[in-house]
Each structure stands twice: as C-alpha cells, then as structure tokens.
Amino acid sequence: MVGIIMVLVLIVLIIIVIVKGIRIVPQQTVAIVERVGKFYKTLHAGINIIIPIIDTIRSRHDLRIQQEKVPSQSVITKDNVAIGVELATFFSVVDPKLATYGIANYVQGIHNIVASALRSTIGKMELDEILSNRDRIQAELRQALDNASENWGVRIDRVEILQLEIPIDIQTSMEKQMRAEREKRANILQAEGEKQATVLRAEAQQSAVILAAEAEKRRQILDAEAKQTSQELEASGRAEAIRLVANAERSRIEALNEAGLTSEILTYKSFEALSEMAKGAASTIFIPTDVVSTLGSVGAMAKVFKID
C-alpha cells in the first residue's frame, strides 16, 4: 500500500513538473527566462518548455506599439512665458533583454527623459515659434528620446503634443493681436481690390480709346478708298465718253467720205447757208473760223455782207 501511495505521489509530482514546465506565450509577447538567477533565454510566441524550480520567468514584454501619456509639464519659453505641455509617446520594445536589464522601469524612464528633452527644446524657442512649429518640436523630442532610450531596448516611434496651456493674459494679448492682424489684412485686401479695380478701369478706358482710334482710322481708310474708287470710275467714264465721241466722229467722217462730200463742196454749202442767214433779220452771225478764213481767201466777204 505504501509503495502504491509513493508511486501515485511520484506520478502527481511528475505531472506538476510537466505542467509547470510548459509555458504558452501569446502572439506579440516574449518572456525572459532566468536559470538560477541568470539570464537564460527568451521565450517567443507558442509553446515553450522550461525546467521548473531551476528556470523562472523574470518578466514579460508586449512587443506591440504602446502609448503612454506624459503628465503635463510646465516649461518656460525663450521669451519667458510659462506654458503647460501635455504629451503622448508611442514606443515599442525591440530588445526584451535590454528592456529587462538595461533599466528598472523603462516607462518611468521615458516620462523623465521626455520632461528633460521638452524643457531643453522649448527653452530655445519663443512662444510664436512653439505655436507654429509643433512638427519641429515633436521631431526634436523624438530624436532626443531615441538617443536616450537606445540602451534600454526601446524605440520611440512617435511623440505627439496633445495640449498647450497658455496663460490667460497671454491668450488675451494674442487674441487682440490676431484681431489687429485680421483688420490689417482686410484693409490691405480692400486697398489691393480698389487698386486692381482702378487699373482695370484705366485699361478698359485705354482699350476703348484705342478701339475708337482704330475705328476712325478704318473709316478714313474706307472713305479714301471709296473716293479713289469714285474718281477712278469718273475718269474711266470720261475716257469712255471721249472714246465714244471720237468713234462717232470717225464714223461720221467715214460716212461723209463714202458719200463723196469733199471740202470744196462743204465750203460751197457753207456759202449758201451764210447767204440765207444774211437775208434774215439778225444783225449778229457766228461763223466758224475755218469758214471765215475760206471766205477771206476767195474775196467773198463783201458779197455776203452788204452795207446800205
């Protein structure tokens, strides 16, 4: 009976040892194992076997990105303004062994180094720079934290400024300054608008004058072209009339020549006509020059004009 009891106790002890020796580590988690008080190995996700009593798990680390809100820090700017800054840090464990043995509490260490880096960074900047350059502050803080936490097995992924607390009197002054700046920008924009309107009106007037001058110039050109065309047409008409008269005269002469009327016959006919005209009551007779010369050459003037 005693032997059976001892066997059962031994079996129970073996089962307990086996159960104690099996360690299941969740995903994105590691465990640091010490053997007889010294670092032995790191357990990763899955089923792991250790020797109970000899091996112990010193700590576990979450490998996911972790967020820690840093308590509000009071810092003084370069222009002697006391402001409160509230930060949040995002970090992850990259070396579990260093995170275990490099620092006692890396979270508290991050808080302390953030406060120190924040005072160093903010102290070199004026309030206006701080308000307009949050990205620069965050980048400088991250660099300072990375350098400080490099030996802790921790990587700072991101630093965010959650809130800036500014004294009431400074806020009031800033609001007044902002209103003054807005009014200044409004006045500048209004002046620029009026200037632009004046320039546009001047350009419009100039364009109107240019268009009117071009229109007048075009009208004068058209008038000159019309006058020139009219004169050309008039000259062409006169030339055509002269040509027609000349053609008619040539035709008449040709017709007389064809009828056998010589110059002697025409002269004789002129004498007859003059005689008949002299019988009339008119005292003034217009005689062609060629007829007069003909009459003078033949001595017929006395016969035609008889003075009583």
Side-chain angles (χ1 to χ4, degrees):
M1 180 65 71
V2 175
I4 295 175
I5 294 173
M6 291 181 64
V7 170
L8 291 176
V9 171
L10 183 61
I11 293 174
V12 170
L13 290 175
I14 293 173
I15 292 174
I16 292 174
V17 169
I18 294 174
V19 171
K20 289 288 185 179
I22 296 175
R23 290 291 184 267
I24 299 176
V25 179
Q27 184 69 31
Q28 287 295 94
T29 304
V30 295
I32 299 298
V33 177
E34 292 181 347
R35 175 166 290 181
V36 194
K38 295 178 62 177
F39 173 77
Y40 174 59
K41 66 177 180 178
T42 301
L43 302 182
H44 298 280
I47 298 176
N48 296 271
I49 303 298
I50 64 173
I51 301 175
I53 302 173
I54 298 177
D55 295 337
T56 58
I57 294 179
R58 170 69 182 272
S59 61
R60 294 176 181 266
H61 296 285
D62 192 342
L63 300 182
R64 294 174 297 178
I65 295 178
Q66 302 177 54
Q67 175 184 348
E68 278 293 325
K69 185 177 179 181
V70 180
S72 180
Q73 303 292 320
S74 179
V75 294
I76 299 177
T77 65
K78 185 178 180 180
D79 49 354
N80 296 321
V81 178
I83 62 175
V85 183
E86 187 174 331
L87 297 172
T89 58
F90 298 83
F91 63 91
S92 58
V93 176
V94 294
D95 190 333
K97 181 180 178 181
L98 283 178
T100 302
Y101 300 103
I103 187 172
N105 188 333
Y106 58 78
V107 174
Q108 187 63 37
I110 289 175
H111 289 179
N112 294 334
I113 199 65
V114 163
S116 176
L118 183 63
R119 290 187 177 91
S120 176
T121 302
I122 297 296
K124 297 182 296 184
M125 303 174 64
E126 295 183 354
L127 180 59
D128 291 339
E129 294 181 84
I130 295 170
L131 296 176
S132 59
N133 291 292
R134 287 196 178 191
D135 292 339
R136 172 187 166 188
I137 298 173
Q138 293 171 177
E140 291 186 4
L141 286 175
R142 178 184 173 186
Q143 183 178 2
L145 293 174
D146 277 341
N147 294 335
S149 62
E150 184 177 357
N151 296 324
W152 301 350
V154 177
R155 182 183 66 234
I156 307 298
D157 297 302
R158 191 171 181 180
V159 179
E160 287 289 341
I161 297 177
L162 301 179
Q163 187 176 358
L164 291 174
E165 298 177 359
I166 303 173
I168 300 299
D169 56 339
I170 301 297
Q171 291 184 13
T172 304
S173 299
M174 292 175 61
E175 290 175 358
K176 291 181 180 179
Q177 183 180 0
M178 290 174 61
R179 283 196 295 268
E181 288 292 334
R182 290 193 187 99
E183 292 177 359
K184 177 182 177 181
R185 286 196 296 268
N187 293 332
I188 292 173
L189 291 175
Q190 182 178 0
E192 289 180 351
E194 293 176 355
K195 176 183 176 181
Q196 187 67 19
T198 302
V199 171
L200 291 176
R201 282 195 295 268
E203 290 178 352
Q205 292 176 358
Q206 181 181 6
S207 300
V209 171
I210 293 173
L211 291 175
E214 291 180 351
E216 180 64 19
K217 177 181 177 182
R218 184 62 180 168
R219 186 190 65 78
Q220 292 177 359
I221 292 173
L222 293 176
D223 289 345
E225 291 177 351
K227 186 176 181 180
Q228 180 182 359
T229 303
S230 176
Q231 291 176 352
E232 290 176 354
L233 291 175
E234 184 178 356
S236 178
R238 286 198 299 268
E240 183 66 19
I242 293 172
R243 187 182 63 79
L244 293 175
V245 170
N247 290 337
E249 183 65 20
R250 184 172 63 252
S251 299
R252 185 181 67 81
I253 293 172
E254 290 175 355
L256 290 175
N257 291 333
E258 290 176 358
L261 297 177
T262 62
S263 59
E264 290 80 4
I265 295 174
L266 291 175
T267 302
Y268 178 74
K269 292 296 184 180
S270 298
F271 292 158
E272 290 182 350
L274 287 173
S275 300
E276 292 297 327
M277 290 169 61
K279 294 178 182 180
S283 61
T284 303
I285 301 173
F286 295 94
I287 302 173
T289 305
D290 55 348
V291 176
V292 172
S293 60
T294 302
L295 291 176
S297 63
V298 296
M301 291 293 292
K303 294 182 180 181
V304 176
F305 301 101
K306 296 179 179 181
I307 302 173
D308 294 333

